[in-house]
Amino acid sequence: MKDQKAILDIARKTIDAEAAAIENLSSLIDADFAETVSCILQSEGRVVISGIGKSAIIASKIVATMNSTGTPAIFMHAADAIHGDLGTIQKNDVVICISKSGNTPEIKMLVPLIQRGTNTLIGMTGNMDSFLAEKADFVLNTFVEKEACPNNLAPTTSTTAQLVMGDALAICLLKLRGFSSRDFAQYHPGGTLGKKLYLTVGEITSQNLMPRVSADTPVKDAIVEISEKMLGVTAVLENGKLIGIITDGDIRRMLNKYDNISGLLARDIMSANPKTIGTDVLAIKALKQMQDNDISQLLAVDDGQYQGVVHIHNLMKEGII
């Protein structure tokens, strides 16, 4: 095995080199960046982002970020564009071409084709003297002094700079559009992010069984109810009103305290004033309440009426944790 210290030293130098380049990137933001943001905001079309090689991968990621934050975007590979995919660009679209050198053959062929139309062309390049920088309407400067690669060949620092510039664009657009967490959730309805922003306690409890006993239920029957409903807990009701909770922990404490449980009732071992949560509350808030109180279940209520149980295992299953 290689010397661990040497490995860690290489890793830290790579991170430090890229961090320094990104720190310098903020000094390269100028009026062209602001004009780019304004142009995209005013556009009635999409943002078409193109690149080749590693820049194409970065372009795809920027497209994904924009789409998820309220700016319609589409990826167009620079090589494919000059072989039939140029039709991806529609009349009102804004086009961003990404290229470290700004002088690749594909870019030199693509740019004039784009300029035949009325589309605004944004160049993202690390070479302000390049063909792309000269021809673009606005230029996003992603200059880096050198790559993290010791041979200064593999795109590393340069692609990181492109990625960060894309994030800066997306976040500016997000804020200026007033894009909210509710809007964000609409674009992520099926994933963990969407569930954190949308999933309610009621949607979880509706899938669970609903353990409940009366205050006068014998303890043996209460244990059966807890076991059958498989949530490690049961609510205790009196005249339909929630008055307590019996958990697995309450059962263990009872067994340690009493030798004979035959005469015990639910009211004798329950914990009064159980922790509750509304059915319309977000599941992520249920998690926080459980964590704050070091518990695994909450009783759900609606207008003061018991509606069921939300268990921490439910939140794990849904990916909330």
Side-chain angles (χ1 to χ4, degrees), residues 82-124:
I82 58 180
H83 290 285
D85 282 4
L86 197 62
T88 300
I89 304 174
Q90 301 298 301
K91 179 181 177 181
N92 296 316
D93 293 341
V94 175
V95 182
I96 300 177
C97 286
I98 305 177
S99 172
K100 177 189 175 183
S101 71
N103 287 318
T104 63
E106 293 83 3
I107 291 296
K108 287 185 175 181
M109 291 182 67
L110 177 60
V111 167
L113 297 175
I114 295 172
Q115 291 181 317
R116 289 179 183 177
T118 58
N119 306 92
T120 299
L121 174 62
I122 313 298
M124 184 186 296

Side-chain angles (χ1 to χ4, degrees), residues 44-67:
E44 296 179 358
R46 308 156 303 172
V47 180
V48 179
I49 309 181
S50 186
I52 194 163
K54 302 301 186 295
S55 294
I57 297 171
I58 299 300
S60 293
K61 191 276 177 185
I62 297 173
V63 164
T65 300
M66 286 189 172
N67 279 326

Side-chain angles (χ1 to χ4, degrees), residues 243-254:
I243 63 168
I245 186 173
I246 299 175
T247 67
D248 286 338
D250 292 320
I251 299 299
R252 288 193 295 272
R253 284 185 287 273
M254 174 198 68

Side-chain angles (χ1 to χ4, degrees), residues 172-245:
C172 284
L173 292 164
L174 177 154
K175 286 185 172 291
L176 291 172
R177 291 186 195 279
F179 194 82
S180 68
S181 60
R182 177 64 59 177
D183 296 319
F184 190 83
Q186 291 179 358
Y187 290 90
H188 301 76
T192 299
L193 292 172
K195 288 181 179 179
K196 287 183 178 180
L197 294 165
Y198 260 145
L199 189 65
T200 64
V201 168
E203 290 171 311
I204 292 177
T205 57
S206 66
Q207 301 176 40
N208 287 339
L209 296 173
M210 192 173 172
R212 53 188 166 181
V213 297
S214 70
D216 295 327
T217 297
V219 162
K220 180 180 178 181
D221 292 338
I223 295 174
V224 171
E225 179 73 357
I226 293 173
S227 177
E228 288 183 346
K229 299 301 170 61
M230 299 181 292
L231 290 166
V233 66
T234 184
V236 181
L237 308 179
E238 187 171 55
N239 299 321
K241 180 181 178 182
L242 178 65
I243 63 168
I245 186 173

